Amino acid sequence: MKWGYQTNTWGGVVGHPAGVTSVKDLYYLANGSTEEAVKDIAAAGYEGIELFDGNLMQYEERLGELRRLLDDHGLSLIGVYTGANFIYGDILEDEFAKIDKVARTAAAAGAEHLVFGGGAIRAGGIRDEDYAALAEALDRAAEVAARHGLTPSYHPHLGSLVEKPDQLDRLMKLTGIPLCPDTAHIEAGGGDPLAVIRTYSSRIPYVHFKDYGSGAFLPLGEGGQDFAAMLAALRENGYSGWVTVELDSHDNPLQGAAVSRQYINGQLANKA
């Protein structure tokens, strides 16, 4: 397996302000320097990065510069993370206009994966039909990714329709999109990440590792997650792809990345 790191620790997780009034411009964004993130991630010993769609689109007209930046630091572009509400018919075409643009740009930049988050929770609460709408939209999103040569997957997330274990199981029965488990989001939503990996191992082309403890997202080894058992479960099904470490925020992003890399080297290197 190969180890990557998400750049969102550099600047934290925000959204593009244009999306407030224009759905087609509603991107995730790490509000920091991608160049600094790439330098630090390489220094910490990782092999690739994942970007938010908004940070990718900052390079839309200068993809050669992004490719050179990655090449200069010996990193691959593993994938791009995007998302949408997915359940509101009136804005769906604008959401897919964005998704298609992101997929096209990600493919041109050399990415392998396109990861989708989302499934909005209405102000009035979740409706039963929202899961069918989300599933239909995710199947369409998977087709867009595949058309551009990218591997699609869905990332369960707090604050979406898919927080809890029963919600994930419900969605997975309705859609054919592969799963990108985020181990900390699964635990924070009341689930068991190891059980999720075992249940859906045949549908996992990509995975996010993040530790969790005392209600907080943490570098690997600082929480209570059993990553060695998760790697064993992935290997039992022949998994040999990327594992991306993600950490939404840290006072010192380079230090956070280094702590997780030291844990990988000391506890997981012979298991991956």
Side-chain angles (χ1 to χ4, degrees):
M1 299 181 193
K2 298 173 288 184
W3 295 93
Y5 206 87
Q6 235 282 5
T7 66
N8 61 352
T9 319
W10 286 258
V13 183
V14 298
H16 197 292
V20 174
T21 54
S22 177
V23 171
K24 68 179 179 58
D25 301 311
L26 185 54
Y27 297 111
Y28 282 103
L29 195 65
N31 197 28
S33 167
T34 297
E35 292 80 5
E36 180 183 351
V38 166
K39 178 182 177 181
D40 286 351
I41 289 167
Y46 294 91
E47 301 165 81
I49 66 165
E50 179 184 297
L51 285 171
F52 278 155
D53 52 3
N55 297 97
L56 170 72
M57 298 309 292
Q58 291 174 332
Y59 289 94
E60 182 181 11
E61 303 300 329
R62 49 193 181 102
L63 288 178
E65 182 180 331
L66 175 60
R67 287 191 291 265
R68 286 191 297 275
L69 174 67
L70 294 173
D71 288 345
D72 287 348
H73 291 87
L75 296 174
S76 299
L77 179 58
I78 304 164
V80 175
Y81 188 100
T82 189
N85 292 273
F86 286 129
I87 65 169
Y88 303 120
D90 286 349
I91 65 170
L92 196 60
E93 293 311 311
D94 276 5
E95 290 185 321
F96 271 96
K98 180 199 73 172
I99 288 169
D100 187 75
K101 180 187 286 190
V102 169
R104 182 172 63 251
T105 307
E112 299 177 36
H113 295 271
L114 188 59
V115 184
F116 297 97
I121 297 178
R122 301 173 187 268
I126 297 171
R127 301 177 187 173
D128 283 344
E129 62 265 28
D130 290 342
Y131 286 94
L134 174 59
E136 182 178 353
L138 287 174
D139 284 339
R140 178 179 172 184
E143 291 173 1
V144 172
R147 186 164 67 244
H148 290 284
L150 302 167
T151 300
S153 58
Y154 178 71
H155 178 293
H157 204 287
L158 296 177
S160 75
L161 284 173
V162 187
E163 290 184 316
K164 302 174 183 178
D166 62 316
Q167 294 172 330
L168 175 59
D169 292 338
R170 181 176 184 178
L171 177 69
M172 295 299 282
K173 292 174 183 176
L174 297 173
T175 178
I177 196 169
L179 176 67
C180 174
D182 180 301
T183 60
H185 275 278
I186 289 169
E187 183 177 351
D192 178 348
L194 178 57
V196 168
I197 288 172
R198 285 173 172 163
T199 298
Y200 295 107
S201 59
S202 64
R203 292 179 65 175
I204 296 175
Y206 184 42
V207 63
H208 283 182
F209 274 8
K210 181 162 57 197
D211 217 338
Y212 183 76
S214 300
F217 296 143
L218 301 167
L220 304 192
E222 292 192 355
Q225 297 211 343
D226 189 348
F227 295 106
M230 295 179 207
L231 286 176
L234 289 166
R235 288 186 64 187
E236 286 172 8
N237 203 58
Y239 189 92
S240 59
W242 286 97
V243 177
T244 290
V245 179
E246 185 190 355
L247 187 60
D248 295 55
S249 64
H250 194 279
D251 290 341
N252 184 325
L254 173 56
Q255 182 183 56
V259 167
S260 290
R261 184 72 230 195
Q262 290 165 6
Y263 177 83
I264 292 165
N265 291 345
Q267 303 296 324
L268 303 180
N270 64 345
K271 299 178 174 63

